Amino acid sequence: MNYTAPLADMRFALYDVLDAPSVWNSLPGGEDHTRELVDAVLDEGAKFCEQVLIQTNQIGDEEGCHFDKDNKTVTTPQAFKDAYNRFVEGGWTGLCGDPKYGGQGMPESVGYVFKEMIESCNVAWGTYPLLSAGAVDALVHHGEEWQRELFIPRILSGEWTGTMCLTEPHCGSDLGLLRTRAEPLGDGAYAISGTKIFITAGEHDMSQNIVHLVLARLPDAPSGTKGISMFIVPKFKVARDGSVGERNAVAAGNIEHKMGLKGSATCVMNFDGAVGYLIGKENRGLNAMFTMMNTARLGVGVQGLGLIEVSHQNALAYAKDRLQMRSLSGAKRPDKPADPIIVHPDVRRMLMTQKAIGEAGRALCFYSALQVDLVAKAQDATVRQRADDILSFLTPISKAMLTELAIECTSHGIQVLGGHGYVREWGLEQLLRDARITTIYEGTTQIQALDLLGRKIMGQQAAGLRQFLAEVAEFCAAHHDHAEAGRYVRRMAELAKEWEGLTREIGMRAAQNADEIGAAAVDYLFYSGYVTFAYFLAREAEAVTRASFAGTAEFRAAKLATVHFYFERILPRAMVHAAGVRAGAESLTSGVEAALA
């Protein structure tokens, strides 16, 4: 399997469509993040991914991780360790970290571009630094200063990695049912006891220490989600003076044998009175957890994007080379015994579906990352709040859409290759297996949908949607009569009005029957996602036709063809989901008990 970082497309989205430099320049220290510097970082990131990381993907899938039951240790594929060491040597672990703690201070939006490259090359390997980033975020926002000074520099240096220990065997996503206990030891530390499951990178041999962030209950904690606290529990004990001691009483009990992501260690973790420290306030652990979870959810969306891109690249290369049958409209390569399969309309449909979804998803991910930058550093409180509202609203859309569509697009990749796609040697079947978990972990698609409609729309009075639609309206008003992009802009304006109306309809029905929210949620999410994609592709159509656009005529033509395909062939899916929303809860409640008996 091959991969070339799509730097031209990435830079187009970052600079031409989203005008990221203007965002960076508005933030403290942003004047240092010049386009020349960012381009140099992305060039070096592309080299690491193209020359090192892509080589580890199939190796990791074949070797997998191995659990030693006697020593409770996990061995990762050898190629993973070598790649991680080069990753650390290159300073990539601290790319976006605070310089106060040893980071390089680059914008998160630059980190997300590099992350897309990583996920295209090896999603399993990328899970190890992914959870470390979440741990740093939780410490930054909720930790005490001594905790930040002790743990963050070693995570940013790559010496230590992080995990997120949430779910347990009996409770799944319902964290209100968790039983892990935290007993005060009298010296500011706590003894943590319980079992956690599905812990990504819970045990491995790539770093010197592993910092577990664990949800647990204090002895007098109230029941349910209001009685959850978060604790820092390192694999090797760490004293407040920074000294590292003996092995803590936390160990892997097993690793899961999975459909995909075989190079990523997914562990059962047993805590037997392990020493840890409270992070944040007592019984407010969910606040800290959501800081990590939101970081992870955005990251999983990028996993989907990366899988779509690499599947497209390899399917496209195959379709250009594979000869089979003649075009129905006449031979396109009369010098060959048959035409390449790329001439056939349905092969083009699959390839263009991958391409259009990938380009729209890339713009959405990079835009979301710019909101992360604004939330973290904008000096104007109004700007921060607006960015936070939009980011909160877009996070479930980004996570769910890009992961669900990654399954579709990696399946298209297999279909383009036909029988070759189904065998392991070509690598395409691995992408589909790896993609399948992305709709499940860090909150299933159904949980994302309930988060979007139940919490972000109904619970927060649609604050993020209103802010986002105001931006859409401003764009549509400015470009309504655009010579080339106008037809897409006008369609986008129609959809924005329908989006508002659809949201009101659900709200009115939900006031009479709360089940209407659950019945509409997934269709509402997909409707929102397809319309959001349309907005970013309309922006691409406008950006690529500006007089100031410096790209080639071929690049411009390719972008416009992709936008046109999306609006003609993929956007109509939104109408099906609108119909699903309007169908209401009746077909899911009336007589269903008998049907499912």
Side-chain angles (χ1 to χ4, degrees):
M1 191 163 57
N2 299 307
Y3 173 75
T4 301
L7 290 171
D9 287 310
M10 290 171 160
R11 287 169 175 147
F12 171 70
L14 200 60
Y15 301 140
D16 296 287
V17 179
L18 302 175
D19 193 19
S22 69
V23 176
W24 301 332
N25 290 338
S26 71
L27 303 176
E31 63 277 2
D32 296 331
H33 303 134
T34 64
R35 180 164 176 167
E36 291 74 20
L37 174 61
V38 171
D39 281 345
V41 169
L42 298 183
D43 285 340
E44 290 303 310
K47 289 179 183 176
F48 170 77
C49 291
E50 294 168 356
Q51 297 173 13
V52 178
L53 198 54
I54 190 62
Q55 312 302 326
T56 69
N57 198 31
Q58 284 181 274
I59 294 172
D61 187 59
E62 292 167 1
E63 287 188 21
C65 294
H66 299 279
F67 178 62
D68 184 328
K69 293 183 179 180
D70 295 327
N71 296 313
K72 310 297 184 185
T73 58
V74 173
T75 303
T76 58
Q78 181 61 46
F80 275 36
K81 291 185 285 186
D82 294 341
Y84 185 75
N85 289 337
R86 295 183 66 172
F87 185 72
V88 170
E89 290 166 6
W92 297 109
T93 50
L95 180 65
C96 301
D98 190 335
K100 177 180 178 181
Y101 303 112
Q104 298 173 42
M106 293 297 290
E108 287 292 338
S109 42
V110 176
Y112 274 62
V113 182
F114 180 45
K115 180 169 175 54
E116 183 200 325
M117 301 181 203
I118 290 173
E119 304 304 350
S120 283
C121 291
N122 194 331
V123 174
W125 184 92
T127 60
Y128 295 92
L130 172 65
L131 274 302
S132 294
V136 169
D137 277 350
L139 287 162
V140 166
H141 290 95
H142 303 283
E144 298 177 36
E145 185 56 32
W146 73 267
Q147 294 171 340
R148 291 193 287 264
E149 291 178 352
L150 195 159
F151 290 100
I152 293 179
R154 284 166 162 171
I155 297 175
L156 291 181
S157 72
E159 296 173 71
W160 298 356
T161 55
T163 76
M164 184 164 57
C165 297
L166 311 181
T167 196
E168 299 176 6
H170 60 281
C171 67
S173 298
D174 189 352
L175 296 176
L177 300 176
L178 70 81
R179 300 170 183 160
T180 299
R181 306 181 312 279
E183 299 284 345
L185 294 175
D187 58 356
Y190 296 79
I192 313 299
S193 299
T195 296
K196 300 289 184 177
I197 62 169
F198 300 146
I199 307 306
T200 299
E203 170 63 26
H204 59 83
D205 56 357
M206 288 164 56
S207 64
Q208 298 171 19
N209 203 357
I210 301 173
V211 180
H212 303 288
L213 297 194
V214 186
L215 294 186
R217 293 187 184 281
L218 291 165
D220 57 351
S223 62
T225 57
K226 294 181 180 180
I228 297 173
S229 301
M230 179 176 275
F231 299 86
I232 307 168
V233 185
K235 174 180 175 179
F236 290 95
K237 294 179 181 179
V238 179
R240 285 176 179 252
D241 63 4
S243 59
V244 179
E246 63 183 359
R247 179 70 186 260
N248 210 346
V250 52
N254 208 341
I255 59 173
E256 305 296 345
H257 304 285
K258 308 185 297 274
M259 173 181 177
L261 239 61
K262 295 180 182 294
S264 175
T266 305
C267 304
V268 175
M269 300 301 299
N270 295 317
F271 297 83
D272 298 309
V275 176
Y277 304 102
L278 179 70
I279 178 172
K281 297 180 179 179
E282 292 185 1
N283 303 324
R284 297 296 300 275
L286 282 188
N287 288 20
M289 183 275 289
F290 273 114
T291 298
M292 292 188 74
M293 182 70 80
N294 287 333
T295 299
R297 286 176 173 175
L298 289 170
V300 174
V302 181
Q303 287 181 341
L305 172 61
L307 287 163
I308 292 167
E309 174 63 32
V310 71
S311 181
H312 174 68
Q313 287 190 21
N314 284 271
L316 178 62
Y318 182 89
K320 290 178 177 179
D321 185 64
R322 171 70 171 177
L323 301 179
Q324 191 167 313
M325 302 188 296
R326 288 294 186 189
S327 167
L328 295 176
S329 58
K332 299 298 185 288
R333 290 294 305 271
D335 57 319
K336 300 285 186 180
D339 287 328
I341 63 172
I342 198 170
V343 307
H344 303 308
D346 202 59
V347 172
R348 291 184 173 189
R349 176 189 63 83
M350 291 185 284
L351 293 170
M352 287 299 293
T353 298
Q354 292 176 314
K355 183 175 178 61
I357 290 171
E359 292 191 6
R362 178 174 294 121
L364 169 58
C365 286
F366 293 1
Y367 175 89
S368 299
L370 287 168
Q371 307 314 304
V372 174
D373 289 330
L374 289 168
V375 171
K377 295 184 178 180
Q379 294 179 301
D380 187 321
T382 303
V383 172
R384 287 198 308 274
Q385 186 60 57
R386 176 185 180 276
D388 194 43
D389 288 342
I390 291 176
L391 179 64
S392 178
F393 166 69
L394 289 179
T395 295
I397 294 175
S398 179
K399 195 278 185 185
M401 285 295 291
L402 283 167
T403 57
E404 289 285 351
L405 293 176
I407 294 173
E408 176 185 342
C409 290
T410 54
S411 182
H412 283 326
I414 291 174
Q415 194 74 9
V416 170
L417 269 68
H420 293 302
Y422 196 67
V423 299
R424 296 187 67 181
E425 287 79 1
W426 291 79
L428 274 291
E429 60 86 32
Q430 180 193 337
L431 301 180
L432 177 56
R433 287 188 289 106
D434 286 351
R436 190 60 189 88
I437 186 59
T438 62
T439 65
I440 300 173
Y441 62 12
E442 308 306 341
T444 64
T445 299
Q446 293 74 19
I447 287 175
Q448 303 305 318
L450 288 171
D451 179 48
L452 174 64
L453 186 54
R455 183 178 291 116
K456 307 302 172 52
I457 300 298
M458 302 302 169
Q460 297 178 3
Q461 289 75 52
L465 174 63
R466 287 187 282 106
Q467 294 279 16
F468 189 66
L469 286 178
E471 178 179 313
V472 171
E474 183 179 352
F475 172 80
C476 290
H479 303 290
H480 182 273
D481 298 318
H482 192 282
E484 292 184 77
R487 56 177 165 166
Y488 309 121
V489 172
R490 291 188 290 274
R491 179 67 180 126
M492 189 61 230
E494 295 170 358
L495 288 165
K497 291 180 181 178
E498 183 180 56
W499 199 356
E500 286 184 293
L502 203 61
T503 305
R504 284 196 298 271
E505 287 178 37
I506 299 170
M508 288 187 289
R509 293 204 307 268
Q512 304 300 318
N513 179 9
D515 276 341
E516 291 288 345
I517 293 175
V522 170
D523 278 310
Y524 182 84
L525 183 147
F526 274 102
Y527 177 90
S528 302
Y530 284 121
V531 175
T532 299
F533 279 10
Y535 167 62
F536 285 112
L537 286 176
R539 287 185 63 171
E540 290 204 356
E542 185 277 323
V544 82
T545 52
R546 291 179 199 149
S548 60
F549 177 67
T552 65
E554 291 79 10
F555 187 90
R556 179 178 306 194
K559 290 297 177 191
L560 291 175
T562 303
V563 174
H564 182 66
F565 174 86
Y566 181 86
F567 273 78
E568 291 291 312
R569 287 276 182 162
I570 300 180
L571 183 57
R573 298 180 186 184
M575 302 306 102
V576 176
H577 291 294
V581 168
R582 293 189 170 109
E586 188 271 338
S587 62
L588 296 174
T589 56
S590 179
V592 172
E593 290 84 357
L596 298 178

